[in-house]
Amino acid sequence: MIKFIMGFPYASEEGMGSMQERQRRSLVLSDQTFPIIEQITAGMPGGFFIYHADGDKRLIYANQALIRMYGCENLEEFQAYTGYTFPGLVHPDDVVATEESIRKQIVSCGNDLDYVEYRIIRRDGSVRWIEDYGHFVHADHYGDIFYVFVEDATEKSARPWTTPRRPVWPRSGWRHWRRLSTRPRH
């Protein structure tokens, strides 16, 4: 059976590994776990969010650091500003390239991890660069989801170009990523 992730074929049940591997890729996420997630992410230096991998890519959760990253005062303001969807978080000019990069990485790399850089537009109109580290998993209650850690990378390097940087492709986990971009880092 072929499974589709964000509109792309992913893998058959046989290709997904052992039952133990499939269970590791599953996440227990429910209304009871959100207070725990809130406590854990309250002290994180960056943003954290969870969103549906299909449909309108609606957010399920966003921490306070993410809300502040967008220049919003509270969750209601953030929801109104972003539409509370993943595409609503990304600069409109970067949405297609960002989603395509995520799809390609999830489909081709086999470890359900993605990394991409894209721009956002804060509520005050300023543009910031974001580094996005995502993990695709299945949650029994919510279906296929991504949970994502983001950090503001604007100050890390000057970016004189206006299009998203090419993604870093994982070879065998977070520690072995290499840049495909020929643009120099500053």
Side-chain angles (χ1 to χ4, degrees), residues 38-175:
E38 184 66 38
Q39 285 180 345
I40 292 169
T41 63
M44 290 178 68
F48 176 79
F49 60 97
I50 302 169
Y51 71 98
H52 291 279
D54 50 15
D56 63 357
K57 299 175 185 76
R58 188 140 195 82
L59 270 63
I60 300 167
Y61 172 82
N63 75 345
Q64 287 299 312
L66 183 72
I67 292 167
R68 286 189 306 273
M69 200 176 284
Y70 281 80
C72 296
E73 295 294 322
N74 55 48
L75 180 61
E76 293 76 24
E77 193 174 271
F78 176 76
Q79 289 173 327
Y81 180 67
T82 64
Y84 213 53
T85 65
F86 178 68
L89 300 180
V90 181
H91 189 291
D93 294 340
D94 297 352
V95 172
V96 172
T98 298
E99 289 185 337
E100 180 71 14
S101 175
I102 292 169
R103 277 191 291 263
K104 284 181 179 179
Q105 291 178 64
I106 297 300
V107 170
S108 66
C109 294
N111 60 7
D112 298 333
L113 301 174
D114 71 80
Y115 169 86
V116 68
E117 293 176 300
Y118 52 84
R119 294 172 296 164
I120 66 167
I121 303 173
R122 289 176 42 93
R123 192 163 176 265
D124 65 7
S126 62
V127 176
R128 307 293 291 177
W129 279 93
I130 299 296
E131 289 183 340
D132 169 316
Y133 301 87
H135 188 198
F136 172 78
V137 295
H138 181 81
D140 291 336
H141 187 70
Y142 290 95
D144 293 339
I145 62 169
F146 282 93
Y147 65 87
V148 183
F149 297 93
V150 292
E151 67 177 323
D152 186 331
T154 306
E155 306 305 322
K156 279 188 178 180
S157 65
R159 290 175 169 84
W161 51 87
T162 59
T163 57
R165 294 174 65 169
R166 292 172 63 184
V168 174
W169 292 85
R171 288 187 293 179
S172 60
W174 298 106
R175 291 177 296 177

